[in-house]
C-alpha cells in the first residue's frame, strides 16, 4: 500500500513554541491519518473522530 506523506507546521498560540509533525494516510478510502513523527513539546490528542495536536507545556490546541 502506498502512503501519502505530508508535513504540518505546528505553533502554540499561547507560548509560541513551533515544530513540524510528519503525517501520513494509508489510502483515500480509510481517511485514517497517522502521526508518524511528533516534535518535542507537542502531543497528539485523539478523540472518537479525529486527532489533534496540543502543546505539551500549555496543554492548549495548536495552530497547524
Amino acid at each position: 500500500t502506498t502512503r501519502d506523506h505530508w508535513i504540518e507546521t505546528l505553533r502554540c498560540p499561547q507560548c509560541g513554541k513551533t515544530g513540524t509533525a510528519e503525517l501520513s494516510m494509508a489510502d483515500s478510502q480509510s481517511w485514517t491519518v497517522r502521526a508518524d513523527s511528533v516534535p518535542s513539546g507537542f502531543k497528539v490528542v485523539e478523540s472518537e473522530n479525529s486527532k489533534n495536536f496540543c502543546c505539551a507545556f500549555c496543554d492548549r490546541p495548536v495552530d497547524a
Side-chain angles (χ1 to χ4, degrees):
T1 302
T2 303
R3 296 187 77 82
D4 288 330
H5 295 271
W6 67 96
I7 294 175
E8 291 282 343
T9 301
L10 309 177
R11 182 181 180 283
C12 176
Q14 182 160 333
C15 71
K17 182 167 185 58
T18 61
T20 55
E22 296 179 29
L23 307 170
S24 65
M25 186 182 323
D27 57 50
S28 60
Q29 268 73 51
S30 71
W31 296 101
T32 302
V33 175
R34 180 174 78 183
D36 298 320
S37 173
V38 179
S40 177
F42 294 92
K43 61 184 179 179
V44 176
V45 177
E46 295 186 42
S47 66
E48 185 176 325
N49 298 320
S50 67
K51 294 178 184 171
N52 296 301
F53 291 98
C54 286
C55 177
F57 302 107
C58 301
D59 202 33
R60 294 192 55 173
V62 300
D63 298 328

